[in-house]
Amino acid sequence: MPPAMPSKTQPKPRRSGWTRVRVWFRRCRIAVLLFLFLLVCIGAYLNHVGLPGFIKKPLLKNLHQRGIDLQFSRLRLRWYRGIVADNVRLLGVESPVLPICTAQTADVQLDYAALLRRKVEVTGFTLRKGRLAWELAPTNEPPRTLVVSNITAALRFLPGNEWQLNQFTAEVAGARFEASGRIANGAALRDWPIFQGRTKSPPEVALARLRSLQAALGQIQLGSPLVFRASLSGDAQHPETFSGNVTCEGVSTITPWGELNNASLRAVLKAAGSDSTHSAELVLTAESATSKWGGLKDLDLRVTAARVTNSASHLDCDVKLSAAGLAASAGSVKAITLAATWRQPLTNALPENGTAKIAVEGLDSRWVRAGVAGILVDFAPSVAPPAADPALGIWNELLTHRLGLRCALTNIARSNIVVDALTFAADWSAPQLKLTGLQAGLPAGGLHADADLDVCSRRFTFDAKSDLNLHAFDHLLTEKSRARSEEHTSELQSPY
């Protein structure tokens, strides 16, 4: 028998465990590289082309629910910034008095845990290189724009419809603004009249005021860049709960109204409380302040305004001013203080009532010198004013108001006349103007006088008492007048 032929198929050698590991490692590596390549392609596509519409629409809807309406040219994915909107514009009511708000980009932050549940929730956004622009030029005139530029704003949306502004910076007219804040019920801000373009004055009047503001800003010269820092908090559904402050230090500037040197500005907004109303305070201090009327040293100015209880159309205002010295072309004083209070209607430039008190020390003017001078003024509406009469002329403008003036001066000197003290009171209550208690004390005697004028009947009365020695004033007369005065005195003393 022939020998058996060997089989043509040889059994495959068995792979070792290490070989199988290397094979699976290569396969996994290729899969990972393919996956990374796919991610890179998707990221590049989302970066250059933009995110799909099924993300854009719910994102805009969620922003609208939070009180923000955005419009953008493209929404894309950036590697290090996340979701970014390009050529952003904040939408709102179209009004000539409202600015156009745009930004080069806006970073949009999402809740990625909600995104895994296929729900788009915006947790915040950051505007970059923003711009606010008011078009101020009337129709058919060259463009004229008031611009706030280089805006950066980081806004976070917290639970309960609360907004948190972590960073806000902007520049206008060479000054920089920095702000932060926290606002409850932030979506309600868009319902405020100011954001609806509703103003108490017509749009053309508001635009004229903005043009005046722009012209004034263009005339301000800054000694150094200004930085305003502000903070604000409150509930948008209850404006009276808002409080905050604005500060600016080291101000040295030249303005159309005067110059300030080493000044500090602080404005405080106080929320309404159980026993107080919404109020605001402005404090200005300066090493020196000058204007066309004169200059002040060590200026301290405080202005407060508070809403009147149960009246949204009136403010109770208060002003306090003090300075270590005042110098003007007419004279100077060593120290001056001013205190005034009044009730101001928001619908009228003239106050309803008020009082003002001025005290100066070391008065030295071209007309008179005085050691101390004090003036008290008060005014209020007339209770029953007479009817206007064309024959009264300018008095008609004062019929509806009651005015009072109290004045006291000490150590008065003019030329060779010295008065130890001078006091008087004047009151206007239509139709009568009264001068009462005019008293002057001189080394040569005293003088007391009263006067009364009825502007309707033209009746004038005057009463005066004096024990002055008139010869004490002979040195003020010429030699001829002095001789004539002596003759008259001799005639008065003669029994015949």
Side-chain angles (χ1 to χ4, degrees):
M1 254 182 99
M5 298 296 295
S7 174
K8 294 182 178 180
T9 59
Q10 299 292 332
K12 296 181 179 180
R14 296 183 62 185
R15 296 181 178 179
S16 64
W18 177 247
T19 303
R20 285 196 296 268
V21 170
R22 287 191 301 167
V23 171
W24 281 106
F25 176 76
R26 284 195 299 267
R27 291 174 180 175
C28 291
R29 183 178 61 183
I30 293 172
V32 170
L33 291 176
L34 288 174
F35 179 72
L36 293 177
F37 178 74
L38 181 62
L39 286 181
V40 170
C41 292
I42 294 175
Y45 175 84
L46 296 178
N47 184 30
H48 290 84
V49 178
L51 296 176
F54 69 87
I55 295 181
K56 293 181 182 179
K57 292 181 180 178
L59 186 146
L60 291 174
K61 181 179 179 181
N62 189 259
L63 281 173
H64 175 76
Q65 292 172 350
R66 296 182 180 276
I68 303 293
D69 292 314
L70 289 182
Q71 184 182 65
F72 45 81
S73 63
R74 179 174 55 174
L75 188 67
R76 54 180 175 155
L77 183 65
R78 300 289 294 271
W79 301 111
Y80 54 93
R81 290 170 56 184
I83 298 176
V84 177
D86 293 332
N87 302 319
V88 178
R89 176 171 178 173
L90 268 67
L91 302 179
V93 177
E94 295 291 338
S95 172
V97 299
L98 292 180
I100 298 174
C101 181
T102 58
Q104 183 174 320
T105 62
D107 300 352
V108 182
Q109 290 83 43
L110 298 180
D111 185 343
Y112 292 101
L115 192 61
L116 294 176
R117 301 191 302 269
R118 295 182 296 178
K119 186 177 181 181
V120 177
E121 289 188 5
V122 180
T123 59
F125 73 95
T126 303
L127 291 179
R128 301 182 188 275
K129 297 184 179 179
R131 185 174 184 266
L132 282 175
W134 285 265
E135 181 52 56
L136 306 181
T139 307
N140 301 326
E141 289 192 12
R144 183 178 177 183
T145 308
L146 176 62
V147 177
V148 180
S149 59
N150 293 331
I151 297 175
T152 299
L155 184 64
R156 299 291 176 264
F157 300 121
L158 304 180
N161 193 23
E162 185 174 354
W163 292 6
Q164 179 177 308
L165 184 64
N166 294 329
Q167 178 187 10
F168 176 89
T169 60
E171 296 179 2
V172 58
R176 177 181 172 86
F177 291 83
E178 300 176 357
S180 61
R182 200 177 182 104
I183 301 176
N185 298 307
L189 282 175
R190 62 184 171 193
D191 297 327
W192 283 21
I194 188 174
F195 297 118
Q196 294 292 322
R198 299 195 301 268
T199 58
K200 295 182 179 180
S201 56
E204 55 272 13
V205 175
L207 290 176
R209 292 172 180 169
L210 287 174
R211 286 193 289 269
S212 299
L213 173 63
Q214 184 189 41
L217 291 176
Q219 299 178 55
I220 295 177
Q221 302 177 27
L222 301 178
S224 60
L226 299 184
V227 178
F228 292 87
R229 295 180 173 88
S231 63
L232 186 69
S233 63
D235 188 339
Q237 292 184 346
H238 304 283
E240 68 277 4
T241 63
F242 272 83
S243 63
N245 63 81
V246 179
T247 60
C248 185
E249 304 288 341
V251 180
S252 295
T253 180
I254 301 175
T255 74
W257 313 280
E259 299 182 19
L260 286 175
N261 181 35
N262 195 19
S264 297
L265 175 68
R266 179 169 62 91
V268 179
L269 179 65
K270 299 179 181 179
S274 57
D275 57 349
S276 61
T277 60
H278 213 193
S279 62
E281 180 183 23
L282 176 67
V283 179
L284 174 65
T285 60
E287 185 177 307
S288 64
T290 59
S291 69
K292 62 181 180 181
W293 299 286
L296 295 169
K297 293 182 179 179
D298 297 331
L299 170 66
D300 189 325
L301 173 65
R302 300 171 185 270
V303 182
T304 60
R307 179 181 172 182
V308 177
T309 305
N310 300 324
S311 177
S313 59
H314 289 79
L315 296 175
D316 281 335
C317 302
D318 180 89
V319 171
K320 292 182 175 64
L321 181 147
S322 65
L326 168 64
S329 58
S332 63
V333 297
K334 293 182 179 179
I336 180 172
T337 59
L338 165 67
T341 60
W342 71 95
R343 176 158 292 184
Q344 181 66 52
L346 300 180
T347 56
N348 194 335
L350 296 177
E352 286 187 355
N353 57 64
T355 61
K357 183 178 180 180
I358 303 175
V360 298
E361 296 180 10
L363 173 64
D364 185 2
S365 71
R366 66 179 67 172
W367 304 285
V368 69
R369 296 190 303 274
V372 177
I375 300 175
L376 176 64
V377 180
D378 65 272
F379 59 95
S382 296
V383 178
D389 185 351
L392 295 178
I394 194 174
W395 293 105
N396 285 310
E397 304 294 332
L398 300 175
L399 293 179
T400 58
H401 280 79
R402 179 184 58 79
L403 304 174
L405 173 65
R406 307 289 183 269
C407 186
L409 298 94
T410 62
N411 301 326
I412 307 168
R414 173 177 171 79
S415 300
N416 294 320
I417 300 177
V418 177
V419 180
D420 296 330
L422 172 66
T423 61
F424 66 89
D427 293 281
W428 161 258
S429 181
Q432 288 186 318
L433 175 63
K434 293 183 178 181
L435 177 67
T436 57
L438 173 61
Q439 297 184 8
L442 293 85
L447 170 68
H448 178 87
D450 298 302
D452 189 352
L453 170 65
D454 189 314
V455 298
C456 290
S457 64
R458 308 297 198 275
R459 183 175 179 270
F460 176 74
T461 59
F462 180 79
D463 180 35
K465 297 179 182 178
S466 174
D467 59 356
L468 286 173
N469 179 8
L470 297 181
H471 286 293
F473 301 99
D474 285 349
H475 62 282
L476 300 176
L477 304 176
T478 62
E479 188 173 335
K480 184 176 181 180
S481 298
R482 191 182 302 116
R484 180 65 60 87
S485 174
E486 291 176 355
E487 292 177 4
H488 285 295
T489 302
S490 301
E491 294 175 357
L492 292 173
Q493 292 176 349
S494 173
Y496 305 100

